[in-house]
Amino acid sequence: MKKIALFLMISIIVFFPNESYGHQEDLNKLIFIVVNEQLIAFEDAYPEVKDGTTYIPIRFFAEAMGADVKWDNESNSVYITKDEGEIILDIPLKTLITDGGIIMTDCVYVKHNRIMAPFKVIAKCFGYDVSYIPAGPIARAKNNNARMVDEEVYFHFQDTMTKEKEKMILTIRNREKEEFRLRYKIAYITFDDGPSIYTERLLKILEQYHAKATFFMLADRITNYSEIVKKVAEEGNAIGLHGVTHDVKKIYRSPSILVSEMNACNDALQMVTGMKTTLIRVPYGSKPHMTEKFREAVLREGYKMWDWNVDSKDSEADYVSPAVILENVKEQVARRNVPIILLHERQSTVEALPKILEHLNQEGYILIPIDGEQKPYSFWKDMYER
Ligand SMILES: [Zn+2]
């Protein structure tokens, strides 16, 4: 068990949280598809080149050619028809069959819920010529309706492709992170109300256990402890916003005041680290204060509001015994799928942290920072459902 935990901890360092990902090959395989003068926008699954063959999500491509796509439940096959031609993609057999008598095995597969099939064979079957434009790169299908030559096509779509590529890379990265989170047992450690005189000690302990955490910080503290803020970020932890006043009577006076506290906190963060964040945690949690108007304001501003599902209760008194904090955490972690643990920057929490991390390690959890792109956990369950 210990060995597995260690292996997982090592893998987490490889995959997270530095922006260098293990799955670079997916990014290098990106290719654009143009049908005559139409650049196909693929929403969620992208064309890819495998062993010199370009595979495309079939639906988008067929639509661009003006072909009809029908799914047959009984045979688990896709029928693509255009004019007189027909292609059948047999999913269980991974086989492509054309009405011209071509049968190709091992060339149909499902990726991210999209059916992928070879570009060239399908284009040719419907009377298109196929060319490859290395700049881009672009695979182009063209017939008699084509107006531009290949060089023009590239220059025509150059800017669009740059933008599309950024979107594709982001989608692929987020998907990889999501897959990682589904594959492993993940827990999130969060520290509120810092940074403080305790932050450096928390960082040391986190490092000892190869754990990363998320720190929800207050504006004036960010400014006062700027060197520590930088260190928190440099060591691969996430930073979120916790506002300015931390005063219920002030921050919840109106939605615009709440948002402006978060924005001011974000400005302070940017001054120190050069970066802004979308992560916020509202003081005392989002229930009951964050009524609909407040939630709407937060959503409009693009903030991801995080609550917790494990309350260590480390701030219920001036000093809560570390043993009690540990017990609170253990007892609630056992009931959670993905524990999000609320801690505060306090003396007793520093003392409890090694035991908490030991326990989580023993239970096989990997501790990673919260990502600004992932769906937040909020006490208002449907807040991020749309
Ligand atoms: Zn707080």
Side-chain angles (χ1 to χ4, degrees):
M1 192 62 201
K2 270 258 166 68
K3 265 196 183 145
I4 293 171
L6 184 67
F7 166 74
L8 293 179
M9 281 187 310
I10 292 167
S11 1
I12 195 71
I13 296 162
V14 175
F15 288 109
F16 275 92
N18 308 323
E19 286 311 305
S20 62
Y21 277 83
H23 300 290
Q24 281 298 322
E25 73 269 26
D26 256 6
L27 304 182
N28 295 335
K29 280 189 299 195
L30 289 180
I31 185 165
F32 293 92
I33 305 291
V34 174
V35 177
N36 288 335
E37 282 81 32
Q38 183 192 347
L39 178 73
I40 304 181
F42 296 94
E43 293 162 18
D44 44 12
Y46 301 115
E48 60 184 2
V49 181
K50 292 207 293 193
D51 299 327
T53 302
T54 302
Y55 294 86
I56 32 119
I58 188 62
R59 177 168 292 275
F60 300 104
F61 180 46
E63 278 167 5
M65 288 189 300
D68 224 33
V69 184
K70 284 212 173 64
W71 169 257
D72 180 47
N73 254 334
E74 231 159 86
S75 59
N76 257 326
S77 297
V78 176
Y79 290 77
I80 311 162
T81 48
K82 180 178 160 38
D83 307 325
E84 299 300 294
E86 182 174 63
I87 293 178
I88 302 165
L89 305 177
D90 187 313
I91 311 301
L93 291 178
K94 303 178 176 174
T95 298
L96 176 154
I97 306 150
T98 75
D99 56 353
I102 298 172
I103 299 177
M104 280 178 73
T105 52
D106 247 339
C107 68
V108 179
Y109 58 97
V110 177
K111 193 170 181 181
H112 306 303
N113 293 321
R114 297 283 179 191
I115 295 158
M116 307 287 286
F119 163 74
K120 198 166 166 181
V121 181
I122 291 171
K124 289 203 157 172
C125 179
F126 292 127
Y128 286 82
D129 274 332
V130 167
S131 57
Y132 178 75
I133 309 165
I138 297 170
R140 186 184 187 203
K142 54 182 182 254
N143 61 14
N144 294 334
N145 299 328
R147 287 171 283 109
M148 291 183 196
V149 297
D150 287 353
E151 286 73 19
E152 284 176 284
V153 164
Y154 171 71
F155 287 112
H156 186 70
F157 288 117
Q158 205 173 9
D159 292 341
T160 320
M161 284 191 298
T162 308
K163 281 191 204 116
E164 279 293 311
K165 203 163 189 166
E166 279 167 17
K167 266 187 4 209
M168 286 153 96
I169 288 170
L170 199 67
T171 307
I172 290 169
R173 288 227 164 110
N174 287 336
R175 186 177 282 145
E176 280 167 0
K177 289 185 198 173
E178 185 59 33
E179 279 166 3
F180 185 93
R181 289 192 290 259
L182 290 172
R183 203 172 329 133
Y184 297 104
K185 226 174 141 179
I186 304 288
Y188 299 101
I189 296 264
T190 66
F191 295 103
D192 285 12
D193 300 354
S196 66
I197 50 166
Y198 303 112
T199 315
E200 285 209 88
R201 286 160 68 193
L202 294 174
L203 288 178
K204 265 219 176 77
I205 299 165
L206 288 170
E207 203 190 357
Q208 274 164 17
Y209 289 87
H210 305 282
K212 308 287 177 199
T214 304
F215 292 77
F216 290 99
M217 298 179 170
L218 290 163
D220 60 333
R221 292 178 160 262
I222 290 173
T223 312
N224 292 340
Y225 293 90
S226 59
E227 287 312 305
I228 290 171
V229 175
K230 281 182 210 159
K231 208 166 163 203
V232 170
E234 275 160 17
E235 293 186 3
N237 302 286
I239 298 177
L241 314 170
H242 202 39
V244 180
T245 62
H246 208 281
D247 182 338
V248 175
K249 289 201 186 88
K250 289 180 179 156
I251 190 166
Y252 295 116
R253 251 187 322 208
S254 77
S256 65
I257 288 178
L258 181 118
V259 164
S260 64
E261 278 209 20
M262 291 304 170
N263 289 346
C265 190
N266 221 356
D267 290 342
L269 182 66
Q270 189 180 30
M271 283 290 282
V272 170
T273 64
M275 308 255 269
K276 287 200 176 193
T277 181
T278 56
L279 300 176
I280 65 168
R281 171 171 284 159
V282 294
Y284 309 100
S286 70
K287 265 192 179 167
H289 307 291
M290 292 295 286
T291 52
E292 201 175 345
K293 285 214 159 61
F294 281 88
R295 300 201 297 279
E296 276 167 9
V298 158
L299 285 170
R300 248 195 325 273
E301 206 69 16
Y303 283 129
K304 307 283 172 71
M305 185 181 77
W306 282 79
D307 287 305
W308 57 86
N309 58 20
V310 173
D311 186 352
S312 71
K313 303 200 167 111
D314 62 347
S315 63
E316 286 212 328
D318 282 342
Y319 185 88
V320 179
S321 127
V324 170
I325 297 175
L326 177 65
E327 264 327 293
N328 289 339
V329 170
K330 269 186 174 176
E331 186 255 325
Q332 293 169 60
V333 163
R335 292 188 274 123
R336 299 297 178 201
N337 259 338
V338 181
I340 303 153
I341 305 166
L342 172 67
L343 296 163
H344 292 82
E345 300 210 9
R346 291 173 154 242
Q347 175 62 35
S348 51
T349 308
V350 174
E351 289 165 25
L353 187 60
K355 289 265 165 18
I356 293 173
L357 297 179
E358 242 159 61
H359 174 73
L360 293 170
N361 274 351
Q362 269 163 15
E363 294 292 309
Y365 282 105
I366 296 175
L367 303 173
I368 59 174
I370 290 173
D371 188 286
E373 300 293 331
Q374 77 192 95
K375 197 177 114 190
Y377 174 88
S378 150
F379 293 151
W380 305 88
K381 296 281 181 236
D382 57 357
M383 180 170 170
Y384 287 95
E385 285 308 322
R386 278 169 291 167

